[in-house]
Amino acid sequence: MDEVKARPIEILDSNTVPRVENQINTIYLIADGGIQMDVFLEYIEKAINSTVTFIESSSLNEELLETKDALFIIDYSSKRKMTDIANTLSVGSEDSITVLINVDSVEIEDLICWKNLYGCFGVQDSLDQVSRGLMKVLQRINWLPRYVMMELIEYFQNNGTDVKLQKVAATSLTRREMEILEQLKSGEPNFVLAQRLNVSENTIKVHLYNIYKKIEVKNRRQAIDWTTCYIP
C-alpha cells in the first residue's frame, strides 16, 4: 500500500491522549479471507497489541452483534456484500462502532448507512497508517479523511438535516466531548467538571484542547456560546 493521500483530522499525539473509560477491546475483522487478509490481520494485531477475531462475511450472527463496545473492521473490497453487512450491523449494539478498509471509491449515500462509522481507510493507505488510525478509533476518536467529512457536511446540508447534526458531523465530536460541552454550560471550573465526570483535571484539559480545535473556538467562553447555539 502507498502513502495515504487524504489527510486525517488533526488530533493530539498518542502520548498525550488519555485512555478513555470505554476504550474498545473487542475487535472483529469482517472479510472474505485470503492471503492478503491473513497478512493484514497478523500485522494489525502486532501493531495495536490486541487480538483481532476474523469472521467470514457470511458468518455474521445475532450473538456476535450483541457484543457491546466492539469494533467491526469491514473489508470494503467486496462491494456486492456491503449493503447486507451494513443492514446486519445496524441492529447490533449501540455501543459498537465500524471502520471501513480497502475503500476504493464510495458514494456518500453508501457511507451514511454504516452504524457509528468512526474510520475510513483507502486502498492506498499503508498498513502503518491503518494501524495508527485504528489506535485512535479504539479510543473512540474519529479517523475520517477530510474529503469524507466535507462530503458528509454537504450531504447533511442538501438533505435538510438540522443544524446540530451538521455541526456535530463537521467537527466529529466524540461522546465524551459532547458530554463535557454540556457540562461547560454550568460555568464550573475544570476541577469540578473532573470530579463530576470522575476523571482527572488533566483529562478535562486534553478534551477541551481537542474540542476547541474541532469547533474552531479559542477559549472557554466561545465554547459555551457554541454549545448554547448548537446543543440546546
Side-chain angles (χ1 to χ4, degrees):
M1 297 182 181
D2 298 326
E3 185 178 357
V4 61
K5 292 183 179 180
R7 183 186 176 195
I9 301 170
E10 294 181 4
I11 52 179
L12 290 179
D13 181 78
S14 58
N15 294 325
T16 63
V17 176
R19 181 181 178 86
V20 296
E21 294 84 347
N22 58 346
Q23 179 162 327
I24 294 173
N25 296 307
T26 303
I27 310 170
Y28 297 107
L29 171 62
I30 312 298
D32 286 339
I35 296 178
Q36 185 178 11
M37 279 297 103
D38 291 341
V39 173
F40 174 80
L41 183 62
E42 181 179 0
Y43 184 95
I44 291 299
E45 285 188 323
K46 291 181 179 179
I48 66 177
N49 193 28
S50 296
T51 299
V52 180
T53 302
F54 175 78
I55 303 293
E56 287 281 353
S57 301
S58 58
S59 300
L60 284 175
N61 55 65
E62 293 183 2
E63 182 178 352
L64 180 66
L65 295 177
E66 291 175 356
T67 305
K68 294 183 178 180
D69 295 320
L71 166 62
F72 291 93
I73 304 173
I74 313 298
D75 177 17
Y76 204 81
S77 59
S78 300
K79 292 185 179 181
R80 56 188 175 83
K81 299 181 180 180
M82 290 303 101
T83 300
D84 290 339
I85 295 176
N87 290 337
T88 301
L89 292 178
S90 68
V91 301
S93 171
E94 291 294 333
D95 297 319
S96 295
I97 63 178
T98 305
V99 164
L100 304 180
I101 61 171
N102 291 327
V103 177
D104 184 5
S105 60
V106 61
E107 299 294 331
I108 194 64
E109 289 81 2
D110 297 325
L111 287 179
I112 62 173
C113 72
W114 292 96
K115 185 175 184 178
N116 296 334
L117 181 64
Y118 266 65
C120 183
F121 299 92
V123 293
Q124 296 182 343
D125 290 6
S126 67
L127 287 174
D128 178 67
Q129 179 73 17
V130 175
S131 299
R132 291 189 292 113
L134 288 177
M135 288 292 289
K136 301 302 181 182
V137 171
L138 290 174
Q139 296 179 327
R140 296 187 183 274
I141 298 174
N142 288 284
W143 190 271
L144 294 169
R146 291 188 184 279
Y147 78 91
V148 172
M149 296 303 300
M150 294 305 297
E151 289 185 5
L152 285 172
I153 296 168
E154 183 178 356
Y155 177 87
F156 292 145
Q157 291 173 338
N158 293 337
N159 287 274
T161 306
D162 63 40
V163 176
K164 176 181 175 181
L165 288 180
Q166 291 177 25
K167 199 65 178 181
V168 170
T171 58
S172 190
L173 291 169
T174 65
R175 183 183 303 177
R176 175 60 92 181
E177 288 167 349
M178 289 284 288
E179 187 176 7
I180 290 175
L181 276 174
E182 290 279 7
Q183 294 294 328
L184 280 184
K185 294 179 181 179
S186 68
E188 301 287 355
N190 288 347
F191 77 90
V192 174
L193 300 185
Q195 293 175 352
R196 187 175 298 162
L197 298 175
N198 196 29
V199 297
S200 69
E201 186 174 353
N202 183 64
T203 296
I204 294 294
K205 291 179 180 178
V206 172
H207 279 306
L208 287 175
Y209 175 86
N210 280 330
I211 290 170
Y212 292 169
K213 292 181 67 177
K214 289 180 178 181
I215 66 177
E216 299 180 355
V217 301
K218 296 181 179 180
N219 54 50
R220 191 187 189 94
R221 180 67 262 167
Q222 291 179 359
I224 293 174
D225 292 342
W226 184 95
T227 304
T228 301
C229 179
Y230 293 109
I231 311 179

